[in-house]
Structures are given as structure tokens and as C-alpha cells.
Amino acid sequence: MWKAWVVVTLLCAAGCRASQPASPSSALDGSWTGTIGPETGGSGQLVLTLRQVGPGVSGEWTATFADAGLNRSGIVSGTVTASTATLFLTPQVGINCGGVTLSGTLGLTVAIDGDHLVGRYSVLTCSSATAGTVDVRKTGGL
């Protein structure tokens, strides 16, 4: 009887351990730096700090321009599907349009190519919708 108990104990020790869940894909984890700019010109520097858990993306962003009045920073949210990311860059402070405040959230769609994200954004401003480009490269991990 004790031999059967030893065999069962050994089998359970070998195969009954709780398995660790597979770690989620984290291709976007880290710091990204590059350019952001409207189609009309005047690009600035964009810095993203991203965290990816499964298809979800979160983080922070900062955009700086020669005209300091255009500088913005805030939070990132979004999703990843295959080799494309849809990101929303929401500034800490909205855009004041004479008594009406717009969120100022930039909607980005970028292609993921290893350590390179390139794509387009759009945002509603007081006078119109503005579009532009984003081109950033991974500069560090988390």
C-alpha cells in the first residue's frame, strides 16, 4: 500500500503543480521617441511611455513644439490588433474654445514594425479637424 502512495505522490509532484499563466504579449512596453506634426508642418517631439497587457495599451505621453503654447502631455489608452495599434492620447488639459472645452484627444492609428511605430492621427480643434503624422522608435524598455 505504501508503494502505491509513494507512486501517486511522485506523479502528483511531477504533474500536479500549478502552471504559470503565459505572459501577455508586451511588444509595445517601453519608451518611444520621435516626431509628431500636422500635415501643414511644424512638427514637434513625441515621447510615449507604453505598457501593453494582452491587447490593451496604457501609458503617458508628452509632445513638445518650438511654439511652447502647443505643448501637451497626458495619458495613453488603446488596443493592439496584429501589427496595428489604435491609440488615444488624451491631454491633461482640454482645449478651451470660448466657453466650450474639447477633450483634445488625438486618435492615432500606427503600424507596428518591431521597434518602429508610424502612422496618422486626427484631433478636433476649435475650428476644424486636424490630421498629421507620428513616427516614433523604441528607445528603452520598462
Side-chain angles (χ1 to χ4, degrees):
M1 183 70 168
W2 70 272
K3 289 182 184 181
W5 181 81
V6 169
V7 170
V8 169
T9 301
L10 290 175
L11 287 174
C12 192
C16 297
R17 281 183 259 144
S19 62
Q20 297 294 323
S23 61
S25 171
S26 56
L28 296 185
D29 279 1
S31 300
W32 301 76
T33 303
T35 59
I36 183 170
E39 294 172 339
T40 57
S43 68
Q45 181 184 42
L46 177 63
V47 177
L48 303 168
T49 303
L50 302 177
R51 289 174 294 285
Q52 180 182 348
V53 177
V57 180
S58 62
E60 297 82 36
W61 67 280
T62 301
T64 54
F65 296 87
D67 177 354
L70 299 175
N71 293 352
R72 299 279 186 272
S73 63
I75 60 169
V76 177
S77 60
T79 58
V80 174
T81 306
S83 61
T84 301
T86 301
L87 304 175
F88 299 96
L89 280 55
T90 302
Q92 292 175 338
V93 178
I95 302 169
N96 186 341
C97 300
V100 176
T101 302
L102 301 177
S103 72
T105 299
L106 285 77
L108 281 72
T109 301
V110 293
I112 304 167
D113 185 12
D115 66 349
H116 189 208
L117 303 178
V118 63
R120 300 185 49 74
Y121 72 86
S122 62
V123 60
L124 289 177
T125 64
C126 296
S127 59
S128 66
T130 300
T133 59
V134 172
D135 189 339
V136 294
R137 292 199 176 270
K138 194 170 200 175
T139 55
L142 288 180

